[in-house]
Amino acid sequence: MEEGTRRVTQTPEELQDIVRQGSLLADVPRASLETLISEGRDRALTKGQILFQKGDPGDFVAVVLSGCLKVSAYSPSGHETVLNLLRQGDVAGELAVIDGAERSADASALEATELLILSRGSFNRLLESDVEFAAGVARALCTKLRTTSDALEATTLDMSRRVATSLLRLAGQHSEEDDGGDLSCEIAIDQGTLARYCGLTRSNLNRVLKRFETAGASRHEKGVLHILDTDWLEDYALSED
């Protein structure tokens, strides 16, 4: 067993509860989740701990059980671009596991994070033997490709609309339904990480966030991003101004 891992304690029902719409595992049958539980291992990361780095072999996938993984790429000069923020139910590392290539980015814990680790062999055996699992993963990868395409397109927008689009993407990943049935979105993320996610400097991001706070669309305070009005953000992202 890999150092720092232990047998999975989640039940299939608990795992099914956390895989949200849009996750790689959101559309796979319960029987497949049972296989993941039986063959997977839990792993805990402390804040800042690296899960994998660009160029590492793709020998496992990781399901986020709690916490947050930051997926990043670095320029030759060392500038970091935050490609994605993965939270409960999201999956990291599936592309390198499927195609056998090296990791294409870095992944590290933005906060204390619990993961379910599944080896490449176990994951690919499921793909080959479980038609429903393979179909669910294929649909999820198509969704991920569209999301990546949208994110790339957003880099051509002006600063304010780029931030609006980025916040909407985060809201789609991390919104939760409260007891009253309303959606809320609170994400623990420092302003520097958020700026790198939006592709801006901190000073430029701060100016945009102040504008959005005045409009009541979002608020960032004490390291927590509150997304308050996705309708306003959608209208703004589509505006021509």
Side-chain angles (χ1 to χ4, degrees), residues 49-163:
Q49 188 173 354
I50 294 170
L51 176 64
F52 55 74
Q53 292 180 293
K54 183 177 180 178
D56 285 350
D59 49 9
F60 66 86
V61 295
V63 184
V64 181
L65 302 177
S66 66
C68 182
L69 279 180
K70 178 180 67 172
V71 181
S72 303
Y74 291 85
S75 69
S77 63
H79 175 74
E80 180 189 24
T81 298
V82 177
L83 303 175
N84 211 344
L85 298 172
L86 304 179
R87 292 190 176 270
Q88 191 179 63
D90 288 323
V91 178
E94 72 279 2
L95 295 182
V97 164
I98 291 172
D99 67 12
E102 297 176 341
R103 303 292 190 191
S104 58
D106 294 5
S108 60
L110 197 60
E111 57 191 65
T113 300
E114 292 280 342
L115 305 166
L116 183 155
I117 302 294
L118 188 69
S119 71
R120 181 186 178 199
S122 295
F123 187 82
N124 285 337
R125 277 195 299 274
L126 260 177
L127 285 177
E128 293 166 2
S129 63
D130 188 332
V131 174
E132 290 186 67
F133 178 80
V137 168
R139 286 190 290 270
L141 288 175
C142 289
T143 299
K144 185 171 184 175
L145 180 60
R146 290 191 182 96
T147 301
T148 301
S149 178
D150 290 343
L152 181 61
E153 183 179 350
T155 63
T156 66
L157 301 174
D158 62 70
M159 288 191 305
S160 297
R161 287 195 293 156
R162 189 186 307 178
V163 175

Side-chain angles (χ1 to χ4, degrees), residues 15 18-20 22-24 62-71 84-92 108-116 169-176 185-190 193-194 220 223-225 227:
L15 186 56
I18 69 169
V19 290
R20 58 169 183 78
S23 162
L24 189 76
V63 184
V64 181
L65 302 177
S66 66
C68 182
L69 279 180
K70 178 180 67 172
V71 181
N84 211 344
L85 298 172
L86 304 179
R87 292 190 176 270
Q88 191 179 63
D90 288 323
V91 178
S108 60
L110 197 60
E111 57 191 65
T113 300
E114 292 280 342
L115 305 166
L116 183 155
R169 192 160 62 249
L170 288 173
Q173 289 180 290
H174 308 304
S175 294
E176 296 181 356
C185 185
E186 297 182 0
I187 304 168
I189 181 172
D190 63 86
T193 301
L194 182 58
H220 189 273
V224 178
L225 172 66
I227 299 177

